[in-house]
Amino acid sequence: MNWKRAFWMLAAVNAAVLVWAVAWLFEPASPVKWPARPDVEGASFTVYSKKEHLNAVINDYLAEKTKDHPLRYDVWLADRVYVSSEIPILGRPVELVVSFVPKVVKGGNVELTEPMISLGDWKLPVTYVLRYLQKHAPLPDEVAIDPEHTRVYVALTGIRFGNGYQVAAKKIDLAADEIVFTLTIPTKQHQ
């Protein structure tokens, strides 16, 4: 008779975990705050880049911004923008991959749209995963997730690189491996 009691206890624990997970997924997301920062004044240059070079810069920047957080993720540009991380599920790491189509928006910032999300071999509901990422991912201040509109906003013009350099996107064509942006270097009189 002990196996029956153990079975029902395990079933109750599984049901409780399932109810908790569903309640957590349906919890409303916090309001989106779109980051903004004034433009840098100085000398501007148009820079043409390839996905390979930009991948290295993006991941170096993210490694620095997330070095003290246990959740790590990688970003790379291919046919879409991909974000990958491992999430522990039942004590085992499972790969979470989110991909987007990048679009240059007003002011040289980037909006990531048309998300596709998978956890291991499963396709997941986009809104729920974006809510999870909004709450738990160690995102730079210049990145805002909008689960309700299934998009991510990257305020490129808000990111300040070494010596105050500012970047603004002009064109992102991943299929043609053509990425064009403006690099503004502040001059002494504008620092």
Side-chain angles (χ1 to χ4, degrees):
M1 294 291 186
N2 282 340
W3 70 268
K4 288 182 182 180
R5 182 176 295 148
F7 170 79
W8 286 112
M9 286 177 61
L10 180 61
V13 168
N14 286 339
V17 168
L18 183 62
V19 167
W20 173 81
V22 168
W24 178 76
L25 283 174
F26 284 100
E27 183 180 327
S30 54
V32 177
K33 295 175 186 152
W34 299 112
R37 204 174 209 187
D39 287 339
V40 169
E41 292 185 34
S44 292
F45 302 92
T46 300
V47 178
Y48 296 84
S49 185
K50 301 282 185 195
K51 293 182 277 194
E52 175 185 358
H53 301 122
L54 206 49
N55 284 337
V57 171
I58 290 170
N59 283 298
D60 282 349
Y61 177 76
L62 289 175
E64 178 64 28
K65 285 290 191 178
T66 63
K67 66 182 172 188
D68 296 327
H69 198 280
L71 181 62
R72 300 273 184 232
Y73 56 94
D74 294 312
V75 175
W76 71 95
L77 307 176
D79 58 322
R80 297 167 62 92
V81 175
Y82 290 88
V83 180
S84 172
S85 185
E86 286 187 343
I87 296 177
I89 296 180
L90 300 175
R92 303 183 82 191
V94 178
E95 185 177 33
L96 172 68
V97 177
V98 184
S99 70
F100 301 93
V101 173
K103 178 174 104 179
V104 177
V105 293
K106 181 182 174 186
N109 296 309
V110 176
E111 189 174 86
L112 303 173
T113 61
E114 301 177 38
M116 293 177 22
I117 301 173
S118 64
L119 182 65
D121 294 331
W122 301 335
K123 297 290 182 210
L124 298 177
V126 171
T127 303
Y128 303 124
V129 175
L130 290 179
R131 281 186 185 144
Y132 174 84
L133 294 173
Q134 182 185 40
K135 291 177 189 174
H136 301 288
L139 299 171
D141 294 339
E142 298 82 15
V143 176
I145 297 177
D146 183 3
E148 303 310 316
H149 296 99
T150 63
R151 64 184 175 173
V152 175
Y153 183 80
V154 182
L156 279 182
T157 57
I159 298 172
R160 294 297 182 265
F161 295 97
N163 297 326
Y165 295 7
Q166 182 184 42
V167 175
K170 291 180 87 172
K171 178 180 180 181
I172 300 175
D173 185 348
L174 297 178
D177 198 10
E178 187 178 349
I179 301 160
V180 182
F181 56 92
T182 302
L183 173 66
T184 303
I185 301 171
T187 56
K188 295 255 186 226
Q189 62 192 12
H190 294 107
Q191 288 185 347

